[in-house]
Structures are given as C-alpha cells and as structure tokens.
C-alpha cells in the first residue's frame, strides 16, 4: 500500500472516513488541520484571523511535504483548500489521492459553520466555494459519495485501492476462497442473480447478463422462483452455464435453490456479501426457500461449485446487519472453542471496526468450523444441530418481537446461557466471560426488551424443531469447545424466560 490522501470540500466527511479507514487497514491517520492546530495551539479560525489565509496555506504545504517524507503508510484527511496551492496539487498528483465528491446541496445541509472561517457564518457560501474549487478537485480520482452513509462510502473508497489479497480455506469438502476485491473479478460469462441494494452498490463491477430481485427475505418465495425459471428459459440458459448469486443469505439461498432445480441442476457459484452469508448461509449446501408462513421449508441440500468471499464488500453493511453476522460467528467460536474462541475474544474491537485483516481471519475460522460441523452430518440428522446453539430461544424471540434474526440469536444465547448456569451445566467464570462479550454485541435495548412470556412459549413449542410435545433437544454449552445435545423439558425452558 502507500499513503492515501482524502481531499474534498468541508463537510464531505474526510476526517470521519479517514479515521475509519485507519482502523480498517491498521494504518495511522493524520488530519492536516489538526496537525496545524496542535503546532500553533490555536483553532483554524483563530489562525485565519490572526495570521491570514496565505500564512495558513503555507503551513498546509509544509505539513504535506513533511508527511511525504515519512516512510510508513498513512491515511491523511486534508483541509478543504489544500488543492488551491499548485505546489500541493503537484505533490498530491503523485500520491493515491481521492476526491470525495458530494453534491453541493447535500454539503450545505451537512456542514456546520463552526470553526469554518471561509463560511463567514453563512452556509450558502459553501455553494460559491464549491463552484470555485470543483475543477481543481476533479483532476484527481473522484469517488462520488453523495447520499451514501459512512460505511458505504468507505467501501467505495477501499475498492479503489485495488487490494486483491487472498486467504486459503482449508477444506476438501466444499470449495471456498477468500479474496479481497473479488467482486471486481466476476467472470463475464456467468449469469448473475442479485438484488436491488447490492446492485446499486456494486452493480458497476459486473456488467454480465444479470437479473435483479427485491431485497430481503421476500425473494425466497415460490413466485420469484417461477420468475427466475422463466428468465432462464427465455435466455436459453443450459445446465452447463454458471448461475452466480451475489448478495446476502436470501440471494444465495434463492440462487442455490433455482440452480439446483432448473433443468435438474445447473452449475452455480456464490459471492456472499453479508457476513452472515459468508460464514453461514453460503456454506454447507442448504438452499431453502419459504412457503406460506414457513421459513426454509422447501429446499435442496446441494453444494455450489465454489463460494468466493470478498471481505471488502462487508464494509458497506448497515451496522445491525454486520453485527448479526458477528453474533452467528461468535456462536461458532463458542462451539469450536480453543484458538477460534480466543481469537474472537482478543480481537472483538478490531472486528467491530471491520479491520480487514482480522475480519478475513475471522471469516476463515468461522467457515472452517462450519464446514467441519457440516461434513460430519451433511444431511442434517445429528450433530449439525450444534449450530442451533442460541437458536431455540432465539427463534421464539425473533417470532415474537420481529427483531432481526442474528440479534435474536444473541438474545437467545444469553438466555440459554443463564439457564445452563442455573442448572450448573456451565461454570460461573465461563458464563461471566460469554455474558460480557454478548453484552458488547447485543445492545441494551434488545437485552432489556419487555417480552410476553406466554407468546414466546407459544412460538417455542410451535418451532419446526419441536417434534416431541414435552421435551426438546437443544445444544448445551458446557464451556467453549464443549457442546452436547440434550433433551430438556419445555417446562424448564419456560421457567427460564
Ligand atoms: N442456507 C443456510 O444454511 C442458511 C444459514 C443461515 C441463514 N440462511 C438464510 O439467510 C438469510 C439471511 O441472510 P442475510 O442476513 O444475509 O440477509 P439478506 O440477504 O436479506 O441481507 C440483508 C440486507 O443486506 C443487504 N446487503 C447485502 N449485501 C450487502 C452489502 N455488501 N452491503 C450493504 N448491504 C448489503 C441486502 O440487500 C439486505 O437488504 C435468511 O433467509 C436465512 O434463512 C441460510
């Protein structure tokens, strides 16, 4: 890598984004304005008032020159006017410099006049400044981040860095590979199924023949399966062609189902783009769709030709969706124990900051653990049920409250753990440690939600796994790495709520 310079108008988010990128890439972050303020013990506004703009621009140039002499990789957030000085433009042209373009009307809404001497307490002034500087900015590589949230903007920036690092997955059972930037390398001849959201973020990377479906669980419906068959037939798609699902678990499940049934099974691959899809839904060969009110009740068990995981795509996930994947991954770390469990504990902060190196390693651990479990019980008649840890109460909570699946599993893990501790199945130290981690992952609002115990119990006994009316088989966590499947009376579960 090299030094990354973010340039752009005031209010475009350079500082926030540079800080995020610094954590994502584990490289130091520098803000040229902050450096100037520190060296002069004055705010920018005061320097402008006391010393004038020419003096300030000189300082900016000195800082830039000194940063370029530094040997290490850096991400630098620059002052909005840094490109006014031709010397600075020359220096920046030889660096990885990215202009963060934001529509001026959005800029005006975002910017605050505080410590912005050039605005003279008048937000309208920003439109004038924008027009004066526009051409100077646009000589640099431009990333338009208008109407994107911070995570979506970081994803867009990071994809310009051309990072293509790989990490091998150790498995002869299912072909999976982790490759940064893989979304930019999808073979052109593959036919793509994706959804609106993923297409809006990454569709420009794949100009293939593609079919775009609605976002979320809605796509896992027989009516969309029927539409998909029609589209494949109309386009003369044969069994030998490759159908490629690019999206979250809903798209990979849907694509896997369509591909496994169309013409009695065609080639298919996945590019999962949520954390949950990368470590869970795309692994193990289950391709379910929903029918009436039943989730995943129709489906196939059939492995894709390959799963290609691009960790960069996770940067654009909404916080909640990202955490859902982390919680499912934590569950796998609890089942695996040992090194995976320790890794998760030690790197939780970096994982929350989406540090790419840690995230890639986390994905590798989780995928290998899921493959290990699936391999022992591909048809799901025995030990694959370990994966239901936290899901018995989690599913009931999800059905009763409508809270997202992964977060409900987090709640379920906490509640099940309390129960295991009450019956001395899990020791106190282990309980405390896991509880602390889960409290970090599952927000207080969700943990303290008022539940309707009767309703929750109703969903519990109506869960598709409830085959015996008095007892239920659930995975019990004795300690990380030590999970057993045991039968528990419903009444015991009810009392734990
Ligand atoms: N087959 C299996 O073994 C298995 C295992 C677990 C879950 N699942 C299934 O997975 C589904 C849930 O998957 P999910 O949590 O990925 O939900 P999802 O597919 O609905 O994705 C969640 C949201 O994130 C958006 N999104 C996807 N990628 C994005 C990206 N890179 N940046 C920003 N937004 C992005 C999607 O458009 C969607 O709105 C459920 O249907 C569940 O049944 C299957």
């Amino acid at each position: 890598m090299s030094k990354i310079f973010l340039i752009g108008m005031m209010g475009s988010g350079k500082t926030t984004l540079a800080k995020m990128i610094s954590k994502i890439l584990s490289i130091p972050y520098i803000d040229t304005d902050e450096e100037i303020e520190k060296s002069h013990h004055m705010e920018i506004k005061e320097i402008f008032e006391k010393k004038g703009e020419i003096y300030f621009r000189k300082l900016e140039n000195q800082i830039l020159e000194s940063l370029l002499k530094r040997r290490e990789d850096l991400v630098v957030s620059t002052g909005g006017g840094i490109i006014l000085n031709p010397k600075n433009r020359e220096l920046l042209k030889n660096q990885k410099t990215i202009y963060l373009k934001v529509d001026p009307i959005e800029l005006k809404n975002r910017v605050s006049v505080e410590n912005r001497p050039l605005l003279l307490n008048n937000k309208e002034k920003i439109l004038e400044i924008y027009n004066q500087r526009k051409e100077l900015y646009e000589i640099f590589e431009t990333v338009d981040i208008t109407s994107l949230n911070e995570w979506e903007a970081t994803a867009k920036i990071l994809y310009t860095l051309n990072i293509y690092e790989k990490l091998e997955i150790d498995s002869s059972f299912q072909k999976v590979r982790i490759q940064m930037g893989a979304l930019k390398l999808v073979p052109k001849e593959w036919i793509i199924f994706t959804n609106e959201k993923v297409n809006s973020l990454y569709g420009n990377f794949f100009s293939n023949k593609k079919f775009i479906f609605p976002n979320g669980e809605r796509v896992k419906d027989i009516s969309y399966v029927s539409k998909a068959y029609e589209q494949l037939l109309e386009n003369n798609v044969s069994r030998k062609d490759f159908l490629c699902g690019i999206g979250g678990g809903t798209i990979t499940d849907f694509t896997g189902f369509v591909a496994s049934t169309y013409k009695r099974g065609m080639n298919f691959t996945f590019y999962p783009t949520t954390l949950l899809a990368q470590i869970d839904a795309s692994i193990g060969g289950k391709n379910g769709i929903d029918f009436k009110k039943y989730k995943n009740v129709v489906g196939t068990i059939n492995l894709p030709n390959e799963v290609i995981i691009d960790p960069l795509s996770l940067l654009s996930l909404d916080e909640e969706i990202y955490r859902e994947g982390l919680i499912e991954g934590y569950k796998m770390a609890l089942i695996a124990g040992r090194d995976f469990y320790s890794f998760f504990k030690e790197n939780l902060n970096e994982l929350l900051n989406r540090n790419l190196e840690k995230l890639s390693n986390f994905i590798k651990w989780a995928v290998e653990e899921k493959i290990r479990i699936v391999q022992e019980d591909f048809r799901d008649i025995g030990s694959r049920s370990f994966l239901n840890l936290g899901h018995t109460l989690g599913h009931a909570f999800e059905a009763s409250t409508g809270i997202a699946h992964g977060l409900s599993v987090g709640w379920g893990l906490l509640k099940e753990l309390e129960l295991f501790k009450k019956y001395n199945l899990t020791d106190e130290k282990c309980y405390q440690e896991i509880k602390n981690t889960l409290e970090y992952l599952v927000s207080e609002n969700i943990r303290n939600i008022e539940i309707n115990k009767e309703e929750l119990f109703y969903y519990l006994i109506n869960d598709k796994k409830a085959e015996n009316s008095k007892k239920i088989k659930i995975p019990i966590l004795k300690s990380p790495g030590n999970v057993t499947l045991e039968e528990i009376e419903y009444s015991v579960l009810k009392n734990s709520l």
Side-chain angles (χ1 to χ4, degrees), residues 233-410:
L233 284 169
E234 275 164 21
N235 284 276
N236 295 321
V237 173
S238 86
R239 301 180 58 208
K240 289 186 185 141
D241 287 318
F242 272 78
L243 188 59
C244 169
I246 306 184
T250 53
I251 280 293
T252 55
D253 272 12
F254 172 75
T255 307
F257 180 78
V258 171
S260 304
T261 48
Y262 177 75
K263 298 202 172 170
R264 295 189 216 113
M266 66 180 291
N267 290 307
F268 67 110
T269 55
F270 295 149
Y271 283 77
T273 59
T274 63
L275 185 51
L276 182 119
Q278 295 188 348
I279 62 170
D280 195 0
S282 67
I283 309 297
K286 282 190 182 177
N287 311 294
I289 59 159
D290 307 333
F291 188 69
K292 305 223 180 217
K293 60 179 182 165
Y294 301 100
K295 257 196 98 183
N296 296 323
V297 77
V298 175
T300 63
I301 299 189
N302 183 25
L303 288 171
N305 296 52
E306 191 174 9
V307 177
I308 302 125
I309 295 176
D310 180 354
L312 277 184
S313 67
L314 303 181
L315 296 178
S316 57
L317 288 179
D318 286 351
E319 184 61 30
E320 191 173 279
I321 295 172
Y322 179 71
R323 272 178 192 244
E324 286 192 70
L326 270 190
I327 292 169
E328 285 285 0
Y330 181 55
K331 174 204 75 182
M332 291 193 214
L334 287 171
I335 298 171
R338 296 193 297 201
D339 293 352
F340 182 16
Y341 178 72
S342 308
F343 171 86
F344 192 95
K345 230 176 22 173
E346 283 155 23
N347 294 294
L348 181 54
N349 259 326
E350 280 94 339
L351 289 172
L352 286 166
N353 289 328
R354 308 190 198 187
N355 177 277
L356 280 177
E357 192 202 330
K358 303 293 181 195
L359 191 49
S360 303
N361 281 304
F362 167 70
I363 294 167
K364 177 177 158 64
W365 281 111
V367 167
E368 286 175 358
E369 179 59 17
K370 173 134 190 210
I371 290 178
R372 188 188 65 75
I373 294 170
V374 170
Q375 209 170 351
E376 281 174 15
D377 177 24
F378 187 47
R379 296 276 147 206
D380 196 8
I381 46 173
S383 57
R384 195 160 172 169
S385 314
F386 282 170
L387 292 166
N388 287 332
L389 182 67
H391 284 61
T392 310
L393 292 181
H395 272 157
F397 182 75
E398 181 182 358
S400 157
T401 59
I403 290 190
H405 174 76
L407 304 177
S408 294
V409 169

